[in-house]
Amino acid sequence: MSETYQFDPTHSSLEFSTKHMVVATVRGHFSEFGGQIEVENDDPTTAKADVVIKTASINSGAEDRDKHLRSADFFDVEAFPEMRFVSASVTPAGQGRYIVRGDLTIKDVTRPVELRAEASAPINDPWGNQRTAISLQGEINRKDWGLTWNMALEAGGWLVDEKIKLNLDVVALRKVAAAV
């Protein structure tokens, strides 16, 4: 039997971090996103996820930096208002842990990514819904998606690192069939 889970945005977060000016770590998140996961017979290895992220919702805590990230130098949110991740496979990697492989699309460039995942057992909440939590981590090279803007530093190195660490904490809620 197939079950569909929707992301609970009030209990989920999509965060990233990267090195800035070689020594500082800048963290940020996307505040507008949604997704669903379809699972067959409660088997996590059958999970199929589809996630859509609004690029204009990027927030790194510095408005000037966020404006630059929204510009054509990076996400070009006017031309590309969304990013998308679609999973392709889920492989067991130990008790409650998995490797999730899928395709990430940024600025019309689609490339494969691999995320390490840890999932909790589903629970029933006080409102009769079923919830599960999934934590995912990974790393991408932003240049693989055409996010190539940078500036050389006088002392050596670059203003923005190529490596972007991803950290996603998702609570997914199983749709409850309407009472008959």
Side-chain angles (χ1 to χ4, degrees):
M1 177 165 75
S2 177
E3 299 287 345
T4 301
Y5 289 80
Q6 294 291 331
F7 285 17
D8 176 355
T10 61
H11 295 102
S12 301
S13 63
L14 302 178
E15 300 173 342
F16 62 89
S17 64
T18 192
K19 288 293 184 184
H20 182 256
M21 297 198 321
V22 183
V23 295
T25 299
V26 171
R27 296 177 188 351
H29 68 276
F30 291 91
S31 59
E32 294 180 38
F33 58 91
Q36 70 176 28
I37 304 168
E38 302 234 358
V39 180
E40 296 289 331
N41 300 317
D42 295 324
D43 178 359
T45 64
T46 67
K48 301 287 184 204
D50 188 355
V51 183
V52 176
I53 304 154
K54 302 292 183 182
T55 54
S57 74
I58 194 166
N59 184 337
S60 68
E63 188 56 36
D64 286 343
R65 179 173 45 233
D66 294 343
K67 285 179 185 175
H68 192 201
L69 290 169
R70 291 181 190 113
S71 77
D73 284 344
F74 287 96
F75 288 106
D76 195 3
V77 302
E78 295 296 322
F80 304 101
E82 296 179 342
M83 293 187 290
R84 186 175 204 160
F85 174 78
V86 178
S87 68
S89 68
V90 178
T91 306
Q95 185 68 26
R97 293 189 309 270
Y98 303 89
I99 301 297
V100 178
R101 293 177 180 88
D103 291 323
L104 176 62
T105 302
I106 302 173
K107 294 176 71 171
D108 281 349
V109 175
T110 301
R111 297 190 50 92
V113 297
E114 182 175 288
L115 303 170
R116 297 173 311 283
E118 191 168 335
S120 72
I123 62 148
N124 293 326
D125 69 20
W127 302 275
N129 302 307
Q130 190 175 70
R131 295 174 181 266
T132 190
I134 307 152
S135 293
L136 303 111
Q137 292 83 38
E139 185 176 284
I140 63 171
N141 184 321
R142 64 186 177 87
K143 288 185 171 185
D144 292 343
W145 283 268
L147 304 173
T148 58
W149 183 91
N150 221 336
M151 181 183 293
L153 299 173
E154 187 176 314
W158 296 95
L159 186 66
V160 183
D161 197 355
E162 294 175 9
K163 295 177 189 173
I164 308 296
K165 293 180 182 178
L166 306 174
N167 187 29
L168 300 86
D169 286 304
V170 174
V171 172
L173 171 67
R174 184 173 60 86
K175 291 181 182 178
V176 178
V180 181

